[in-house]
Amino acid sequence: MDNAILITGFNGEIGRQTLLALSKKETLIIALDINNPHIKYDNVIYIKDSILNKDVMKSIFNDYNIIEVYHFAALLSQSANSNPKSAYEVNEEGSKLIIQLATNHGIKHKSFVRIFFPSSIAVYGPKKLKDAKEYDIIKPQTIYGCNKLVIEQFGTQKYEESIQLGFGIDFRCLRFPGIISPYTIPSGGTTDFAPQMLHAAYNNKKYTCKVDPSTLLPFLSIKSTIDAILQIMTIPHINSKLRAFNVEELSLSPKEIVEELQKEFPKFIVDYNIDSRFQSIADTWPENLNCEEAKKEWNFVNNHSKNVMFEQYLIPEIKKNYGKH
Ligand code: SER
């Protein structure tokens, strides 16, 4: 039986760049998504299906010795609010199925299956916190935030049972802020305005932002996101009692993002049409995250520099990326 890494939701903003990073390893990859791949790598077996297809999920764990799982398939916050039933099925039931199958697999093979789960700043609330620490008031105000918290807790419980037993899963999470990628334009999230503005600025398009210009939210570039995923999945052991760590690069408002983009794209125009479905969520998410725990655990670096994020990475990279097409 071949060793393999399972990745779900590989077409999404984080999934796509994680698959690219994983494809450089020697290990076989099983990549599942409801849509077809945009790029094909040699050592990847692609499966077009849903994580809710129990038979397919079970057969993956039966046919391969799954040693790691990267589980990205999910509905983001706005999509979850519009489709609460699907959000429950995909974000909770689907995630629990994968965690349970991985636990059974670890027990059967007398090993630990390492699982990465992307949690979110959506677990915080109801107050908009400054310098939110992992243990700060956690009362999510959205269906999506509740789904993420349930899975953080379910995975942590399965991890603790696995430790008692000596086999099962090694569950690891990052609480992601808004992510900005020069490669993909996300949809269905509350923080999507940031990457959408970047792509609109490059493409000479006017942008209408649904969040007030002064609303602060934490952000991370996709490059730092992938680095953090690979780092937390590589450290042999997590010393902290936490299984879910904050990571952010910068706290930014829409106004500040526009100012950064206008330095490079002076004709970029943004207007504001505040949508309460977006604003009411952004107002319960922290304005910035305390990342001391991640720094202690694997020397997570957040340099808090707009220059590093925009001028040195996002702007040159979006030019390179579109130049390819
Ligand atoms: N970026 C996500 C969203 O806006 C939060 O995890 O839904």
Side-chain angles (χ1 to χ4, degrees):
M1 205 188 229
D2 288 334
N3 283 353
I5 296 172
L6 170 64
I7 174 168
T8 72
F10 68 82
N11 272 323
E13 192 184 32
I14 314 179
R16 204 179 296 189
Q17 296 312 116
T18 304
L19 180 60
L20 170 64
L22 295 176
S23 72
K24 293 174 184 153
K25 292 188 179 195
E26 298 288 297
T27 320
L28 176 70
I29 298 168
I30 312 299
L32 183 128
D33 197 287
I34 50 172
N35 295 311
N36 285 321
H38 296 260
I39 304 173
K40 286 204 167 178
Y41 304 105
D42 288 345
N43 59 335
V44 181
I45 295 174
Y46 293 91
I47 301 176
K48 186 179 174 184
D49 218 315
S50 158
I51 56 162
L52 299 179
N53 188 337
K54 283 191 186 149
D55 292 337
V56 167
M57 297 314 295
K58 280 183 192 160
S59 69
I60 293 173
F61 282 91
N62 279 334
D63 296 348
Y64 302 97
N65 182 27
I66 301 294
I67 51 171
E68 282 182 9
V69 178
Y70 296 78
H71 171 40
F72 298 109
L75 270 76
L76 290 183
S77 55
Q78 294 293 328
S79 307
N81 262 358
S82 320
N83 311 285
K85 188 168 171 283
S86 296
Y88 174 74
E89 286 167 358
V90 175
N91 295 357
E92 286 194 30
E93 287 188 337
S95 301
K96 281 185 181 171
L97 174 70
I98 290 173
I99 292 169
Q100 190 60 60
L101 288 170
T103 308
N104 298 349
H105 190 83
I107 294 171
K108 188 170 159 200
H109 293 264
K110 297 195 173 6
S111 63
F112 277 88
V113 178
R114 211 169 268 189
I115 303 190
F116 178 75
F117 178 69
S119 188
S120 164
I121 50 168
V123 299
Y124 292 103
K127 270 175 55 183
K128 190 168 187 68
L129 297 171
K130 277 189 188 158
D131 198 40
K133 297 189 182 66
E134 282 85 347
Y135 291 111
D136 281 346
I137 357 166
I138 303 268
K139 209 159 176 273
Q141 300 297 294
T142 57
I143 291 162
Y144 173 75
C146 293
N147 299 153
K148 289 288 186 192
L149 189 57
V150 164
I151 298 308
E152 275 193 12
Q153 290 172 343
F154 183 78
T156 303
Q157 187 195 330
K158 291 287 158 197
Y159 161 74
E160 280 163 7
E161 288 168 14
S162 302
I163 291 294
Q164 293 296 320
L165 206 61
F167 333 102
I169 55 162
D170 183 346
F171 182 74
R172 303 176 175 203
C173 311
L174 294 173
R175 283 188 187 153
F176 283 131
I179 290 166
I180 313 181
S181 170
Y183 314 112
T184 38
I185 310 177
S187 61
T190 304
T191 58
D192 291 350
F193 64 84
Q196 285 169 355
M197 279 181 186
L198 170 69
H199 289 262
Y202 178 85
N203 289 307
N204 288 320
K205 287 193 180 139
K206 188 181 154 197
Y207 186 77
T208 301
C209 183
K210 294 176 179 160
V211 174
D212 182 273
S214 64
T215 309
L216 282 167
L217 284 163
F219 286 96
L220 193 62
S221 73
I222 189 71
K223 181 176 180 296
S224 304
T225 304
I226 304 304
D227 288 349
I229 294 172
L230 298 180
Q231 280 163 336
I232 194 175
M233 286 298 273
T234 308
I235 48 172
H237 180 72
I238 293 180
N239 295 310
S240 165
K241 287 227 175 319
L242 291 171
R243 303 310 292 177
F245 294 84
N246 286 341
V247 278
E248 77 152 29
E249 218 166 327
L250 273 179
S251 176
L252 293 164
S253 65
K255 185 169 171 277
E256 286 171 302
I257 297 172
V258 174
E259 281 165 7
E260 283 308 305
L261 293 172
Q262 282 174 338
K263 287 183 193 165
E264 182 66 26
F265 307 107
K267 291 187 188 143
F268 181 45
I269 298 173
V270 173
D271 63 8
Y272 292 88
N273 184 7
I274 312 306
D275 183 331
S276 61
R277 288 170 303 178
F278 285 71
Q279 192 64 44
S280 64
I281 293 182
D283 286 342
T284 71
W285 290 359
E287 69 177 55
N288 69 313
L289 302 173
N290 178 299
C291 301
E292 289 308 311
E293 294 290 341
K295 285 183 194 165
K296 261 191 260 165
E297 210 60 47
W298 69 89
N299 295 322
F300 171 72
V301 180
N302 61 345
N303 48 36
H304 296 295
S305 158
K306 287 183 192 162
N307 180 284
V308 170
M309 196 190 220
F310 286 89
E311 280 153 62
Q312 291 182 28
Y313 173 63
L314 291 173
I315 300 210
E317 207 52 35
I318 197 165
K319 288 183 180 171
K320 243 200 274 171
N321 181 47
Y322 278 99
K324 275 187 209 155
H325 298 153

